[in-house]
Amino acid sequence: MSTRKDRLKKLVKVQEQLKALHETRHATFLAAANAAEAEARELIGHFDQDNSLSGLFPDLYHRRIAQAVVRQEKSLESAKQEVGLIATANARTNMVERAYKDVRNRDERESSDRERLDLIAQKRNEE
């Protein structure tokens, strides 16, 4: 059976991986929002050009611009949700790390206490 210290150490690793996952997802959503914004800006820029097909297909341009804006908003909203999940994961990680450090320190104290008691017992046996 594994000790509490070992389980907490594994849990710290898992919490750090979960936090990294949320940070990666947050970055991905921000990148998607930036790409959608760039697409909308590009379409708007082409819309006003003389050699553009926007004069023939204005509905298509408007629809694509609207879709890009909607994608940007959804990505920003998802990124905002990931920020909350990052904060939660960070708090959990900190809590588990504190518990792990407490258990580790207690184990070290108990180990050093046992060593001192063994030394005392050896000295008594020598006398």
Side-chain angles (χ1 to χ4, degrees), residues 43 47 53-54 57-67:
L43 288 170
F47 192 77
L53 296 176
S54 63
F57 306 107
D59 291 338
L60 180 65
Y61 270 79
H62 288 293
R63 188 174 32 220
R64 293 260 328 261
I65 292 169
Q67 289 171 345

Side-chain angles (χ1 to χ4, degrees), residues 17-88:
Q17 290 172 343
L18 185 61
K19 185 173 121 179
L21 170 73
H22 289 304
E23 288 171 346
T24 302
R25 288 183 53 155
H26 177 255
T28 302
F29 287 131
L30 287 180
N34 287 336
E37 180 184 13
E39 181 183 349
R41 288 181 189 271
E42 183 180 339
L43 288 170
I44 290 169
H46 286 298
F47 192 77
D48 294 333
Q49 292 178 351
D50 292 335
N51 60 353
S52 172
L53 296 176
S54 63
L56 298 174
F57 306 107
D59 291 338
L60 180 65
Y61 270 79
H62 288 293
R63 188 174 32 220
R64 293 260 328 261
I65 292 169
Q67 289 171 345
V69 170
V70 167
R71 277 197 325 272
Q72 178 190 15
E73 290 171 355
K74 284 182 181 179
S75 293
L76 288 175
E77 182 60 34
S78 296
K80 215 181 276 187
Q81 290 173 354
E82 287 298 322
V83 167
L85 294 173
I86 290 169
T88 302

